[in-house]
Amino acid sequence: MTPKRKIYIETYGCQMNFSDSEIVGSLVLGSGYETTANLGEADVILINTCSIRDHAEKRVRQRLREFSALKKKRPGMIIGVLGCMAERLKDQLLKEEPSVDMIIGPDAYRDIPDLIAAVEGGQKAVNVMLSLEETYADIQPVRLGTNGVTAFLSIMRGCENYCAYCVVPFTRGKERSRDPESILREAGDLFQKGYREVTLLGQNVNSYTWNADDLTVNFARLIARVAGVDPSLRVRFATSHPRDLSDELIRVIASTPNICRSVHLPVQSGSNRILGLMNRKYTREWYMNRIEALRAHIPDCSISTDIIAGFCSETEEDHRETLSLMRWAAFDYTFMFKYSERPGTLAASKLPDDVPDPVKSRRLEEVIQLQQTLSLESNQKDIGKIVEVLAEGRSRRSEHHLFGRSSQNKVVVFPAGDIHPGEYLRVKITACTPATLMGEVLPAERPG
Ligand code: SAH
Ligand code: SF4
Ligand code: F3S
C-alpha cells in the first residue's frame, strides 16, 4: 500500500475560518489524504486566510514566503491558498506569489481533491466560485487542535449587511442558513463524544432563518433546540448584529440556564454620524436600548464588543462619544482595531481614509487603556463570587493549574488537583487581573 499523502492546514482570521478548516480536513480525509500538524512532513500545505485588515493579509504574505523557501528544498510540494484572500484576490495571487499552486474560495472546498489532482497534472488550479446554497451541512468536521471539550459549529455562511468598511460580504458571498436538523445532529454527536460546549457561528447569527414545511426556524428557536440536546451542554453564539438582537432571543437566553450568559454585540462606534457612514443601520440610542434589555432580563450577562478607531472623517468629538459609550456600557471585553481601508468596499470607493495614522494609533490606545480599566473593574466585582466553570485544559502560566471559562466567558484559573478537562466545577473567585480570574475549587454541591 502506498502511504497516504499528508496535508498540513494553517488557519488565520475568525472562528468561521477555523471552523471551515475543520470542514476542509474532513473533505480531504474522505479522499485518501491524511492531515498532519507537522509542517516538516507535509506534501500539501493549505493556508486558510483572512482579508479583514491589511495587516492580516501581510502576515499571510510573509508566511507564504516561508513556505516558498520550504518548497525550494522539497520540489513537488503543493501550496494552496484558501479563504478570504483567495476570494478577494483570485488568480492575481498566482502572479504575485509564484510558489502558490492553488487558489480556493470559501464555497469551493469540495473541489479541493480535484484541484490537487489538477496541480499534480502540471497545472495551476483556481476555484473561487461563490455559491447561494453551499453550507457543507452534510460534512462532519474533523476537530483540528481540539481540547475535546469546546467546539465551533457553523450554522450559516455569508453576509449581506455591507457595512461600509467590511470586506466580508465580498469574500463570503450571500447569506444562507444551514438545515437545523444537521446542526442538531452535529451538536448531539459532539455531546456523545464528550464535548461540553458548542459555539454557534455565523457573521450575523440573529438573521438565521430556515423554512421547513409549515414553520420557520429563527435563531431564537434554533438555539433553544440546540440547548435541548442536553442540560450539561453549554451553548454560545457569535456574532450578533445589534440591529437584529431580538427580545425573543433575550427571553430564550434568560430562561435557558445552559445558554451562556455572554453576548458579543459589536458596536464599532459611539457616534451616530459615524454609525451612519459605516452603514450599521442602528443608532447609539438603539444600541443602548439593546444593552438595557439584556441587563433587565439577564442581570448576570457579560457584554463584549468590537470597536474601530479612526474610521473615515472621525473627529475628536466622535471619538469621545465612543469612549463615553464604552463607559456607559461598562463592556467586560472589547476587540479593538485601527480602521484599515479594504479595496472594493463601500468606504474605499466613497469615503477618504483621512484620519492620519498617528491619530488613529492614539485613539486606539485610548480605547485600549479605557477597556483595561473596565475589564479590571468588571473582574474585581467577581471577587468573592462562586461561579460555574467548565474546565478546558492546562493553564499556560503554570503546570499545577488548569483553566476554564465561566458562563460569562471569563477565563478562570484554579489549582489542577485531580480535575479533568470537561468537568464542571464550582469555583470561588479570590483574585484577578484585567484578563483573568483566579479562584479555588469548592466541593461539588450534593443534591438534597
Ligand atoms: N460579522 C461580525 C464581525 C466580522 S469582522 C460583525 O458584524 O460583528 C470582526 C470585526 O473586525 C468587526 O466587528 C470590526 O470591528 C472589525 N473590522 C472589520 N473590517 C474592518 C476594517 N476594514 N478595519 C478595521 N477593523 C475592521
Ligand atoms: Fe462585516 Fe458588517 Fe457583515 Fe459583520 S455584519 S461581516 S461587519 S458586513
Ligand atoms: Fe477574516 Fe474572512 Fe473571517 S476576512 S474575519 S477570515 S470571514
mmCIF file with all atom_site columns, all heavy atoms in Angstrom, residues 262-286:
data_model
loop_
_atom_site.group_PDB
_atom_site.id
_atom_site.type_symbol
_atom_site.label_atom_id
_atom_site.label_alt_id
_atom_site.label_comp_id
_atom_site.label_asym_id
_atom_site.label_entity_id
_atom_site.label_seq_id
_atom_site.pdbx_PDB_ins_code
_atom_site.Cartn_x
_atom_site.Cartn_y
_atom_site.Cartn_z
_atom_site.occupancy
_atom_site.B_iso_or_equiv
_atom_site.pdbx_formal_charge
_atom_site.auth_seq_id
_atom_site.auth_comp_id
_atom_site.auth_asym_id
_atom_site.auth_atom_id
_atom_site.pdbx_PDB_model_num
ATOM 1   N N   . SER A 1 262 ? -23.473 35.483 28.103 1.00 0.00 ? 262 SER A N   1
ATOM 2   C CA  . SER A 1 262 ? -22.399 36.267 27.490 1.00 0.00 ? 262 SER A CA  1
ATOM 3   C C   . SER A 1 262 ? -22.824 36.594 26.064 1.00 0.00 ? 262 SER A C   1
ATOM 4   O O   . SER A 1 262 ? -23.117 35.688 25.282 1.00 0.00 ? 262 SER A O   1
ATOM 5   C CB  . SER A 1 262 ? -21.130 35.411 27.508 1.00 0.00 ? 262 SER A CB  1
ATOM 6   O OG  . SER A 1 262 ? -20.300 35.731 26.459 1.00 0.00 ? 262 SER A OG  1
ATOM 7   N N   . VAL A 1 263 ? -22.910 37.872 25.764 1.00 0.00 ? 263 VAL A N   1
ATOM 8   C CA  . VAL A 1 263 ? -23.328 38.280 24.424 1.00 0.00 ? 263 VAL A CA  1
ATOM 9   C C   . VAL A 1 263 ? -22.265 39.187 23.816 1.00 0.00 ? 263 VAL A C   1
ATOM 10  O O   . VAL A 1 263 ? -21.829 40.152 24.448 1.00 0.00 ? 263 VAL A O   1
ATOM 11  C CB  . VAL A 1 263 ? -24.702 38.988 24.457 1.00 0.00 ? 263 VAL A CB  1
ATOM 12  C CG1 . VAL A 1 263 ? -25.047 39.559 23.094 1.00 0.00 ? 263 VAL A CG1 1
ATOM 13  C CG2 . VAL A 1 263 ? -25.797 38.022 24.908 1.00 0.00 ? 263 VAL A CG2 1
ATOM 14  N N   . HIS A 1 264 ? -21.849 38.833 22.604 1.00 0.00 ? 264 HIS A N   1
ATOM 15  C CA  . HIS A 1 264 ? -20.891 39.676 21.880 1.00 0.00 ? 264 HIS A CA  1
ATOM 16  C C   . HIS A 1 264 ? -21.689 40.536 20.908 1.00 0.00 ? 264 HIS A C   1
ATOM 17  O O   . HIS A 1 264 ? -22.341 40.017 19.998 1.00 0.00 ? 264 HIS A O   1
ATOM 18  C CB  . HIS A 1 264 ? -19.877 38.801 21.140 1.00 0.00 ? 264 HIS A CB  1
ATOM 19  C CG  . HIS A 1 264 ? -18.810 39.604 20.478 1.00 0.00 ? 264 HIS A CG  1
ATOM 20  N ND1 . HIS A 1 264 ? -17.939 40.404 21.196 1.00 0.00 ? 264 HIS A ND1 1
ATOM 21  C CD2 . HIS A 1 264 ? -18.467 39.756 19.180 1.00 0.00 ? 264 HIS A CD2 1
ATOM 22  C CE1 . HIS A 1 264 ? -17.115 41.007 20.356 1.00 0.00 ? 264 HIS A CE1 1
ATOM 23  N NE2 . HIS A 1 264 ? -17.409 40.641 19.137 1.00 0.00 ? 264 HIS A NE2 1
ATOM 24  N N   . LEU A 1 265 ? -21.651 41.850 21.136 1.00 0.00 ? 265 LEU A N   1
ATOM 25  C CA  . LEU A 1 265 ? -22.503 42.765 20.381 1.00 0.00 ? 265 LEU A CA  1
ATOM 26  C C   . LEU A 1 265 ? -21.656 43.931 19.850 1.00 0.00 ? 265 LEU A C   1
ATOM 27  O O   . LEU A 1 265 ? -21.540 44.975 20.485 1.00 0.00 ? 265 LEU A O   1
ATOM 28  C CB  . LEU A 1 265 ? -23.605 43.281 21.327 1.00 0.00 ? 265 LEU A CB  1
ATOM 29  C CG  . LEU A 1 265 ? -24.879 43.794 20.704 1.00 0.00 ? 265 LEU A CG  1
ATOM 30  C CD1 . LEU A 1 265 ? -25.587 42.727 19.889 1.00 0.00 ? 265 LEU A CD1 1
ATOM 31  C CD2 . LEU A 1 265 ? -25.824 44.320 21.786 1.00 0.00 ? 265 LEU A CD2 1
ATOM 32  N N   . PRO A 1 266 ? -21.057 43.740 18.660 1.00 0.00 ? 266 PRO A N   1
ATOM 33  C CA  . PRO A 1 266 ? -20.131 44.752 18.141 1.00 0.00 ? 266 PRO A CA  1
ATOM 34  C C   . PRO A 1 266 ? -20.807 46.096 17.897 1.00 0.00 ? 266 PRO A C   1
ATOM 35  O O   . PRO A 1 266 ? -21.816 46.165 17.203 1.00 0.00 ? 266 PRO A O   1
ATOM 36  C CB  . PRO A 1 266 ? -19.649 44.143 16.818 1.00 0.00 ? 266 PRO A CB  1
ATOM 37  C CG  . PRO A 1 266 ? -19.853 42.675 16.981 1.00 0.00 ? 266 PRO A CG  1
ATOM 38  C CD  . PRO A 1 266 ? -21.103 42.551 17.794 1.00 0.00 ? 266 PRO A CD  1
ATOM 39  N N   . VAL A 1 267 ? -20.282 47.157 18.488 1.00 0.00 ? 267 VAL A N   1
ATOM 40  C CA  . VAL A 1 267 ? -20.900 48.478 18.332 1.00 0.00 ? 267 VAL A CA  1
ATOM 41  C C   . VAL A 1 267 ? -20.167 49.306 17.282 1.00 0.00 ? 267 VAL A C   1
ATOM 42  O O   . VAL A 1 267 ? -20.755 50.110 16.603 1.00 0.00 ? 267 VAL A O   1
ATOM 43  C CB  . VAL A 1 267 ? -20.982 49.227 19.679 1.00 0.00 ? 267 VAL A CB  1
ATOM 44  C CG1 . VAL A 1 267 ? -19.622 49.606 20.229 1.00 0.00 ? 267 VAL A CG1 1
ATOM 45  C CG2 . VAL A 1 267 ? -21.856 50.462 19.555 1.00 0.00 ? 267 VAL A CG2 1
ATOM 46  N N   . GLN A 1 268 ? -18.860 49.139 17.172 1.00 0.00 ? 268 GLN A N   1
ATOM 47  C CA  . GLN A 1 268 ? -17.973 49.798 16.184 1.00 0.00 ? 268 GLN A CA  1
ATOM 48  C C   . GLN A 1 268 ? -17.688 51.264 16.501 1.00 0.00 ? 268 GLN A C   1
ATOM 49  O O   . GLN A 1 268 ? -16.557 51.695 16.426 1.00 0.00 ? 268 GLN A O   1
ATOM 50  C CB  . GLN A 1 268 ? -18.490 49.697 14.736 1.00 0.00 ? 268 GLN A CB  1
ATOM 51  C CG  . GLN A 1 268 ? -19.006 48.321 14.299 1.00 0.00 ? 268 GLN A CG  1
ATOM 52  C CD  . GLN A 1 268 ? -17.983 47.207 14.342 1.00 0.00 ? 268 GLN A CD  1
ATOM 53  O OE1 . GLN A 1 268 ? -16.822 47.431 14.649 1.00 0.00 ? 268 GLN A OE1 1
ATOM 54  N NE2 . GLN A 1 268 ? -18.406 45.990 14.062 1.00 0.00 ? 268 GLN A NE2 1
ATOM 55  N N   . SER A 1 269 ? -18.730 52.043 16.857 1.00 0.00 ? 269 SER A N   1
ATOM 56  C CA  . SER A 1 269 ? -18.510 53.454 17.187 1.00 0.00 ? 269 SER A CA  1
ATOM 57  C C   . SER A 1 269 ? -19.649 53.934 18.072 1.00 0.00 ? 269 SER A C   1
ATOM 58  O O   . SER A 1 269 ? -20.757 53.389 18.010 1.00 0.00 ? 269 SER A O   1
ATOM 59  C CB  . SER A 1 269 ? -18.468 54.295 15.910 1.00 0.00 ? 269 SER A CB  1
ATOM 60  O OG  . SER A 1 269 ? -18.545 55.680 16.243 1.00 0.00 ? 269 SER A OG  1
ATOM 61  N N   . GLY A 1 270 ? -19.382 54.977 18.867 1.00 0.00 ? 270 GLY A N   1
ATOM 62  C CA  . GLY A 1 270 ? -20.432 55.540 19.714 1.00 0.00 ? 270 GLY A CA  1
ATOM 63  C C   . GLY A 1 270 ? -21.066 56.772 19.104 1.00 0.00 ? 270 GLY A C   1
ATOM 64  O O   . GLY A 1 270 ? -21.936 57.396 19.713 1.00 0.00 ? 270 GLY A O   1
ATOM 65  N N   . SER A 1 271 ? -20.638 57.147 17.902 1.00 0.00 ? 271 SER A N   1
ATOM 66  C CA  . SER A 1 271 ? -21.143 58.373 17.278 1.00 0.00 ? 271 SER A CA  1
ATOM 67  C C   . SER A 1 271 ? -22.178 58.041 16.206 1.00 0.00 ? 271 SER A C   1
ATOM 68  O O   . SER A 1 271 ? -21.912 57.246 15.292 1.00 0.00 ? 271 SER A O   1
ATOM 69  C CB  . SER A 1 271 ? -19.965 59.135 16.643 1.00 0.00 ? 271 SER A CB  1
ATOM 70  O OG  . SER A 1 271 ? -20.381 59.849 15.495 1.00 0.00 ? 271 SER A OG  1
ATOM 71  N N   . ASN A 1 272 ? -23.341 58.664 16.294 1.00 0.00 ? 272 ASN A N   1
ATOM 72  C CA  . ASN A 1 272 ? -24.388 58.392 15.299 1.00 0.00 ? 272 ASN A CA  1
ATOM 73  C C   . ASN A 1 272 ? -23.961 58.759 13.886 1.00 0.00 ? 272 ASN A C   1
ATOM 74  O O   . ASN A 1 272 ? -24.321 58.085 12.927 1.00 0.00 ? 272 ASN A O   1
ATOM 75  C CB  . ASN A 1 272 ? -25.669 59.144 15.659 1.00 0.00 ? 272 ASN A CB  1
ATOM 76  C CG  . ASN A 1 272 ? -26.459 58.406 16.730 1.00 0.00 ? 272 ASN A CG  1
ATOM 77  O OD1 . ASN A 1 272 ? -26.340 57.179 16.849 1.00 0.00 ? 272 ASN A OD1 1
ATOM 78  N ND2 . ASN A 1 272 ? -27.236 59.134 17.506 1.00 0.00 ? 272 ASN A ND2 1
ATOM 79  N N   . ARG A 1 273 ? -23.192 59.853 13.769 1.00 0.00 ? 273 ARG A N   1
ATOM 80  C CA  . ARG A 1 273 ? -22.752 60.243 12.425 1.00 0.00 ? 273 ARG A CA  1
ATOM 81  C C   . ARG A 1 273 ? -21.872 59.147 11.825 1.00 0.00 ? 273 ARG A C   1
ATOM 82  O O   . ARG A 1 273 ? -22.050 58.734 10.676 1.00 0.00 ? 273 ARG A O   1
ATOM 83  C CB  . ARG A 1 273 ? -21.977 61.571 12.514 1.00 0.00 ? 273 ARG A CB  1
ATOM 84  C CG  . ARG A 1 273 ? -21.708 62.214 11.165 1.00 0.00 ? 273 ARG A CG  1
ATOM 85  C CD  . ARG A 1 273 ? -20.914 63.508 11.325 1.00 0.00 ? 273 ARG A CD  1
ATOM 86  N NE  . ARG A 1 273 ? -19.554 63.273 11.801 1.00 0.00 ? 273 ARG A NE  1
ATOM 87  C CZ  . ARG A 1 273 ? -18.550 62.918 11.014 1.00 0.00 ? 273 ARG A CZ  1
ATOM 88  N NH1 . ARG A 1 273 ? -18.741 62.759 9.717  1.00 0.00 ? 273 ARG A NH1 1
ATOM 89  N NH2 . ARG A 1 273 ? -17.357 62.705 11.521 1.00 0.00 ? 273 ARG A NH2 1
ATOM 90  N N   . ILE A 1 274 ? -20.929 58.621 12.635 1.00 0.00 ? 274 ILE A N   1
ATOM 91  C CA  . ILE A 1 274 ? -20.030 57.576 12.140 1.00 0.00 ? 274 ILE A CA  1
ATOM 92  C C   . ILE A 1 274 ? -20.796 56.272 11.889 1.00 0.00 ? 274 ILE A C   1
ATOM 93  O O   . ILE A 1 274 ? -20.600 55.605 10.864 1.00 0.00 ? 274 ILE A O   1
ATOM 94  C CB  . ILE A 1 274 ? -18.857 57.348 13.130 1.00 0.00 ? 274 ILE A CB  1
ATOM 95  C CG1 . ILE A 1 274 ? -17.969 58.592 13.202 1.00 0.00 ? 274 ILE A CG1 1
ATOM 96  C CG2 . ILE A 1 274 ? -18.036 56.114 12.752 1.00 0.00 ? 274 ILE A CG2 1
ATOM 97  C CD1 . ILE A 1 274 ? -17.202 58.913 11.932 1.00 0.00 ? 274 ILE A CD1 1
ATOM 98  N N   . LEU A 1 275 ? -21.720 55.928 12.783 1.00 0.00 ? 275 LEU A N   1
ATOM 99  C CA  . LEU A 1 275 ? -22.521 54.706 12.564 1.00 0.00 ? 275 LEU A CA  1
ATOM 100 C C   . LEU A 1 275 ? -23.282 54.798 11.237 1.00 0.00 ? 275 LEU A C   1
ATOM 101 O O   . LEU A 1 275 ? -23.385 53.806 10.511 1.00 0.00 ? 275 LEU A O   1
ATOM 102 C CB  . LEU A 1 275 ? -23.504 54.485 13.724 1.00 0.00 ? 275 LEU A CB  1
ATOM 103 C CG  . LEU A 1 275 ? -22.874 54.025 15.034 1.00 0.00 ? 275 LEU A CG  1
ATOM 104 C CD1 . LEU A 1 275 ? -23.918 54.047 16.164 1.00 0.00 ? 275 LEU A CD1 1
ATOM 105 C CD2 . LEU A 1 275 ? -22.257 52.634 14.907 1.00 0.00 ? 275 LEU A CD2 1
ATOM 106 N N   . GLY A 1 276 ? -23.777 56.004 10.914 1.00 0.00 ? 276 GLY A N   1
ATOM 107 C CA  . GLY A 1 276 ? -24.467 56.207 9.640  1.00 0.00 ? 276 GLY A CA  1
ATOM 108 C C   . GLY A 1 276 ? -23.521 55.983 8.466  1.00 0.00 ? 276 GLY A C   1
ATOM 109 O O   . GLY A 1 276 ? -23.833 55.244 7.525  1.00 0.00 ? 276 GLY A O   1
ATOM 110 N N   . LEU A 1 277 ? -22.336 56.596 8.523  1.00 0.00 ? 277 LEU A N   1
ATOM 111 C CA  . LEU A 1 277 ? -21.356 56.426 7.435  1.00 0.00 ? 277 LEU A CA  1
ATOM 112 C C   . LEU A 1 277 ? -20.924 54.960 7.311  1.00 0.00 ? 277 LEU A C   1
ATOM 113 O O   . LEU A 1 277 ? -20.620 54.485 6.220  1.00 0.00 ? 277 LEU A O   1
ATOM 114 C CB  . LEU A 1 277 ? -20.121 57.294 7.690  1.00 0.00 ? 277 LEU A CB  1
ATOM 115 C CG  . LEU A 1 277 ? -20.297 58.805 7.534  1.00 0.00 ? 277 LEU A CG  1
ATOM 116 C CD1 . LEU A 1 277 ? -19.003 59.524 7.916  1.00 0.00 ? 277 LEU A CD1 1
ATOM 117 C CD2 . LEU A 1 277 ? -20.704 59.160 6.098  1.00 0.00 ? 277 LEU A CD2 1
ATOM 118 N N   . MET A 1 278 ? -20.885 54.268 8.441  1.00 0.00 ? 278 MET A N   1
ATOM 119 C CA  . MET A 1 278 ? -20.491 52.853 8.425  1.00 0.00 ? 278 MET A CA  1
ATOM 120 C C   . MET A 1 278 ? -21.589 51.949 7.878  1.00 0.00 ? 278 MET A C   1
ATOM 121 O O   . MET A 1 278 ? -21.382 50.758 7.703  1.00 0.00 ? 278 MET A O   1
ATOM 122 C CB  . MET A 1 278 ? -20.149 52.381 9.844  1.00 0.00 ? 278 MET A CB  1
ATOM 123 C CG  . MET A 1 278 ? -18.822 52.862 10.383 1.00 0.00 ? 278 MET A CG  1
ATOM 124 S SD  . MET A 1 278 ? -18.650 52.262 12.092 1.00 0.00 ? 278 MET A SD  1
ATOM 125 C CE  . MET A 1 278 ? -16.893 52.515 12.363 1.00 0.00 ? 278 MET A CE  1
ATOM 126 N N   . ASN A 1 279 ? -22.812 52.511 7.688  1.00 0.00 ? 279 ASN A N   1
ATOM 127 C CA  . ASN A 1 279 ? -23.944 51.720 7.225  1.00 0.00 ? 279 ASN A CA  1
ATOM 128 C C   . ASN A 1 279 ? -24.302 50.610 8.218  1.00 0.00 ? 279 ASN A C   1
ATOM 129 O O   . ASN A 1 279 ? -24.620 49.488 7.824  1.00 0.00 ? 279 ASN A O   1
ATOM 130 C CB  . ASN A 1 279 ? -23.639 51.114 5.836  1.00 0.00 ? 279 ASN A CB  1
ATOM 131 C CG  . ASN A 1 279 ? -24.889 50.574 5.176  1.00 0.00 ? 279 ASN A CG  1
ATOM 132 O OD1 . ASN A 1 279 ? -25.992 51.058 5.440  1.00 0.00 ? 279 ASN A OD1 1
ATOM 133 N ND2 . ASN A 1 279 ? -24.720 49.564 4.334  1.00 0.00 ? 279 ASN A ND2 1
ATOM 134 N N   . ARG A 1 280 ? -24.230 50.933 9.511  1.00 0.00 ? 280 ARG A N   1
ATOM 135 C CA  . ARG A 1 280 ? -24.541 49.909 10.520 1.00 0.00 ? 280 ARG A CA  1
ATOM 136 C C   . ARG A 1 280 ? -26.045 49.768 10.761 1.00 0.00 ? 280 ARG A C   1
ATOM 137 O O   . ARG A 1 280 ? -26.495 48.843 11.415 1.00 0.00 ? 280 ARG A O   1
ATOM 138 C CB  . ARG A 1 280 ? -23.814 50.230 11.840 1.00 0.00 ? 280 ARG A CB  1
ATOM 139 C CG  . ARG A 1 280 ? -22.326 49.978 11.780 1.00 0.00 ? 280 ARG A CG  1
ATOM 140 C CD  . ARG A 1 280 ? -22.015 48.503 11.684 1.00 0.00 ? 280 ARG A CD  1
ATOM 141 N NE  . ARG A 1 280 ? -22.168 47.801 12.951 1.00 0.00 ? 280 ARG A NE  1
ATOM 142 C CZ  . ARG A 1 280 ? -21.940 46.495 13.099 1.00 0.00 ? 280 ARG A CZ  1
ATOM 143 N NH1 . ARG A 1 280 ? -21.567 45.751 12.076 1.00 0.00 ? 280 ARG A NH1 1
ATOM 144 N NH2 . ARG A 1 280 ? -22.094 45.923 14.269 1.00 0.00 ? 280 ARG A NH2 1
ATOM 145 N N   . LYS A 1 281 ? -26.827 50.724 10.334 1.00 0.00 ? 281 LYS A N   1
ATOM 146 C CA  . LYS A 1 281 ? -28.299 50.632 10.385 1.00 0.00 ? 281 LYS A CA  1
ATOM 147 C C   . LYS A 1 281 ? -28.872 50.612 11.806 1.00 0.00 ? 281 LYS A C   1
ATOM 148 O O   . LYS A 1 281 ? -29.930 50.042 12.059 1.00 0.00 ? 281 LYS A O   1
ATOM 149 C CB  . LYS A 1 281 ? -28.807 49.422 9.591  1.00 0.00 ? 281 LYS A CB  1
ATOM 150 C CG  . LYS A 1 281 ? -28.307 49.405 8.137  1.00 0.00 ? 281 LYS A CG  1
ATOM 151 C CD  . LYS A 1 281 ? -28.976 48.288 7.357  1.00 0.00 ? 281 LYS A CD  1
ATOM 152 C CE  . LYS A 1 281 ? -28.387 48.109 5.976  1.00 0.00 ? 281 LYS A CE  1
ATOM 153 N NZ  . LYS A 1 281 ? -27.313 47.098 5.937  1.00 0.00 ? 281 LYS A NZ  1
ATOM 154 N N   . TYR A 1 282 ? -28.135 51.162 12.781 1.00 0.00 ? 282 TYR A N   1
ATOM 155 C CA  . TYR A 1 282 ? -28.716 51.416 14.101 1.00 0.00 ? 282 TYR A CA  1
ATOM 156 C C   . TYR A 1 282 ? -28.068 52.689 14.633 1.00 0.00 ? 282 TYR A C   1
ATOM 157 O O   . TYR A 1 282 ? -27.068 53.160 14.081 1.00 0.00 ? 282 TYR A O   1
ATOM 158 C CB  . TYR A 1 282 ? -28.472 50.259 15.080 1.00 0.00 ? 282 TYR A CB  1
ATOM 159 C CG  . TYR A 1 282 ? -27.025 49.883 15.261 1.00 0.00 ? 282 TYR A CG  1
ATOM 160 C CD1 . TYR A 1 282 ? -26.196 50.573 16.140 1.00 0.00 ? 282 TYR A CD1 1
ATOM 161 C CD2 . TYR A 1 282 ? -26.464 48.850 14.527 1.00 0.00 ? 282 TYR A CD2 1
ATOM 162 C CE1 . TYR A 1 282 ? -24.859 50.245 16.284 1.00 0.00 ? 282 TYR A CE1 1
ATOM 163 C CE2 . TYR A 1 282 ? -25.128 48.506 14.651 1.00 0.00 ? 282 TYR A CE2 1
ATOM 164 C CZ  . TYR A 1 282 ? -24.328 49.211 15.534 1.00 0.00 ? 282 TYR A CZ  1
ATOM 165 O OH  . TYR A 1 282 ? -23.009 48.892 15.663 1.00 0.00 ? 282 TYR A OH  1
ATOM 166 N N   . THR A 1 283 ? -28.651 53.238 15.704 1.00 0.00 ? 283 THR A N   1
ATOM 167 C CA  . THR A 1 283 ? -28.088 54.431 16.322 1.00 0.00 ? 283 THR A CA  1
ATOM 168 C C   . THR A 1 283 ? -27.506 54.072 17.681 1.00 0.00 ? 283 THR A C   1
ATOM 169 O O   . THR A 1 283 ? -27.753 52.978 18.193 1.00 0.00 ? 283 THR A O   1
ATOM 170 C CB  . THR A 1 283 ? -29.193 55.478 16.566 1.00 0.00 ? 283 THR A CB  1
ATOM 171 O OG1 . THR A 1 283 ? -30.182 54.871 17.415 1.00 0.00 ? 283 THR A OG1 1
ATOM 172 C CG2 . THR A 1 283 ? -29.828 55.946 15.275 1.00 0.00 ? 283 THR A CG2 1
ATOM 173 N N   . ARG A 1 284 ? -26.791 55.021 18.247 1.00 0.00 ? 284 ARG A N   1
ATOM 174 C CA  . ARG A 1 284 ? -26.285 54.876 19.620 1.00 0.00 ? 284 ARG A CA  1
ATOM 175 C C   . ARG A 1 284 ? -27.435 54.560 20.582 1.00 0.00 ? 284 ARG A C   1
ATOM 176 O O   . ARG A 1 284 ? -27.332 53.685 21.427 1.00 0.00 ? 284 ARG A O   1
ATOM 177 C CB  . ARG A 1 284 ? -25.599 56.207 19.984 1.00 0.00 ? 284 ARG A CB  1
ATOM 178 C CG  . ARG A 1 284 ? -25.090 56.323 21.406 1.00 0.00 ? 284 ARG A CG  1
ATOM 179 C CD  . ARG A 1 284 ? -24.615 57.767 21.627 1.00 0.00 ? 284 ARG A CD  1
ATOM 180 N NE  . ARG A 1 284 ? -24.203 57.962 23.013 1.00 0.00 ? 284 ARG A NE  1
ATOM 181 C CZ  . ARG A 1 284 ? -22.940 57.941 23.440 1.00 0.00 ? 284 ARG A CZ  1
ATOM 182 N NH1 . ARG A 1 284 ? -21.959 57.758 22.583 1.00 0.00 ? 284 ARG A NH1 1
ATOM 183 N NH2 . ARG A 1 284 ? -22.665 58.124 24.706 1.00 0.00 ? 284 ARG A NH2 1
ATOM 184 N N   . GLU A 1 285 ? -28.572 55.263 20.398 1.00 0.00 ? 285 GLU A N   1
ATOM 185 C CA  . GLU A 1 285 ? -29.717 55.077 21.301 1.00 0.00 ? 285 GLU A CA  1
ATOM 186 C C   . GLU A 1 285 ? -30.296 53.666 21.163 1.00 0.00 ? 285 GLU A C   1
ATOM 187 O O   . GLU A 1 285 ? -30.649 53.035 22.156 1.00 0.00 ? 285 GLU A O   1
ATOM 188 C CB  . GLU A 1 285 ? -30.798 56.134 21.023 1.00 0.00 ? 285 GLU A CB  1
ATOM 189 C CG  . GLU A 1 285 ? -30.392 57.565 21.394 1.00 0.00 ? 285 GLU A CG  1
ATOM 190 C CD  . GLU A 1 285 ? -29.335 58.169 20.445 1.00 0.00 ? 285 GLU A CD  1
ATOM 191 O OE1 . GLU A 1 285 ? -29.288 57.769 19.247 1.00 0.00 ? 285 GLU A OE1 1
ATOM 192 O OE2 . GLU A 1 285 ? -28.544 59.037 20.894 1.00 0.00 ? 285 GLU A OE2 1
ATOM 193 N N   . TRP A 1 286 ? -30.391 53.180 19.932 1.00 0.00 ? 286 TRP A N   1
ATOM 194 C CA  . TRP A 1 286 ? -30.877 51.814 19.702 1.00 0.00 ? 286 TRP A CA  1
ATOM 195 C C   . TRP A 1 286 ? -29.955 50.815 20.397 1.00 0.00 ? 286 TRP A C   1
ATOM 196 O O   . TRP A 1 286 ? -30.406 49.882 21.071 1.00 0.00 ? 286 TRP A O   1
ATOM 197 C CB  . TRP A 1 286 ? -30.946 51.531 18.194 1.00 0.00 ? 286 TRP A CB  1
ATOM 198 C CG  . TRP A 1 286 ? -31.206 50.084 17.879 1.00 0.00 ? 286 TRP A CG  1
ATOM 199 C CD1 . TRP A 1 286 ? -30.276 49.079 17.788 1.00 0.00 ? 286 TRP A CD1 1
ATOM 200 C CD2 . TRP A 1 286 ? -32.473 49.460 17.649 1.00 0.00 ? 286 TRP A CD2 1
ATOM 201 N NE1 . TRP A 1 286 ? -30.873 47.875 17.522 1.00 0.00 ? 286 TRP A NE1 1
ATOM 202 C CE2 . TRP A 1 286 ? -32.231 48.079 17.423 1.00 0.00 ? 286 TRP A CE2 1
ATOM 203 C CE3 . TRP A 1 286 ? -33.798 49.922 17.612 1.00 0.00 ? 286 TRP A CE3 1
ATOM 204 C CZ2 . TRP A 1 286 ? -33.246 47.163 17.157 1.00 0.00 ? 286 TRP A CZ2 1
ATOM 205 C CZ3 . TRP A 1 286 ? -34.803 49.009 17.335 1.00 0.00 ? 286 TRP A CZ3 1
ATOM 206 C CH2 . TRP A 1 286 ? -34.524 47.655 17.123 1.00 0.00 ? 286 TRP A CH2 1
#
